[in-house]
Amino acid sequence: HDDNVAAPYYQYDPIYMSRADLESSIKMSEPRAMQNAGKIYVKDQHIFITDENKGFHIYNNSNPNAPALIAFLEVPGATDMAIKNNSIYINQAVDLVAVSITNNQVTVHKRIKNTFPSKVSPDGYIHYAGENEIIVDWKKN
């Protein structure tokens, strides 16, 4: 038998944000290329497509034959959203956040801290963050 037991090999390193940076990170920006497509949400004339741990691509779908990418909602650590009336509910890493968008400006109405458990790496490992650090994404090492 082999007595040389290897230490766990992590394929992914966590990307951290401070709590303060996380709480000020939600904003609108220019359209960008999709990196890691996730869930799709349709509301009225808009389509929101999750870009895992980055935010949401926003399309104007007033002409369903030609949806137009119009903006990107930056939300580091986000993987899902729901919309009711004009409020967008987002899981941002460990927080549940309610926002609205008016004239391409984002307003954060409510943030419920530590609603969700810390992110687990794509290969299944749990990494611990410090007191004011939050894991928002992973990078392959």
Side-chain angles (χ1 to χ4, degrees):
H1 80 243
D2 187 358
D3 288 328
N4 297 323
V5 177
Y9 171 70
Y10 303 117
Q11 295 179 7
Y12 296 88
D13 292 322
I15 297 172
Y16 297 99
M17 283 184 94
S18 70
R19 160 83 39 212
D21 286 347
L22 181 85
E23 291 184 8
S24 64
S25 65
I26 300 175
K27 65 183 180 193
M28 295 297 287
S29 64
E30 295 298 311
R32 61 178 70 170
M34 179 72 69
Q35 292 183 34
N36 189 9
K39 295 181 180 180
I40 299 169
Y41 199 99
V42 178
K43 168 73 169 155
D44 302 327
Q45 300 299 314
H46 291 94
I47 300 172
F48 295 81
I49 302 177
T50 306
D51 203 335
E52 296 281 331
N53 296 320
K54 308 275 186 264
F56 305 92
H57 299 271
I58 303 173
Y59 290 80
N60 180 328
N61 195 39
S62 54
N63 177 358
N65 293 323
L69 179 58
I70 57 170
F72 186 75
L73 175 57
E74 290 184 39
V75 189
T79 55
D80 204 358
M81 68 158 25
I83 302 175
K84 181 163 175 137
N85 300 324
N86 290 320
S87 293
I88 305 170
Y89 300 90
I90 302 168
N91 73 318
Q92 185 183 24
V94 296
D95 294 354
L96 175 61
V97 186
V99 306
S100 64
I101 302 171
T102 306
N103 298 325
N104 221 28
Q105 296 296 312
V106 181
T107 302
V108 176
H109 296 285
K110 180 89 173 159
R111 176 180 293 274
I112 305 172
K113 297 177 185 178
N114 304 311
T115 303
F116 304 103
S118 187
K119 290 185 174 293
V120 175
S121 73
D123 55 352
Y125 288 100
I126 295 172
H127 295 260
Y128 293 96
E131 177 76 26
N132 284 305
E133 287 184 322
I134 293 144
I135 297 170
V136 295
D137 205 351
W138 302 95
K139 62 176 182 260
K140 202 151 173 66
N141 60 17

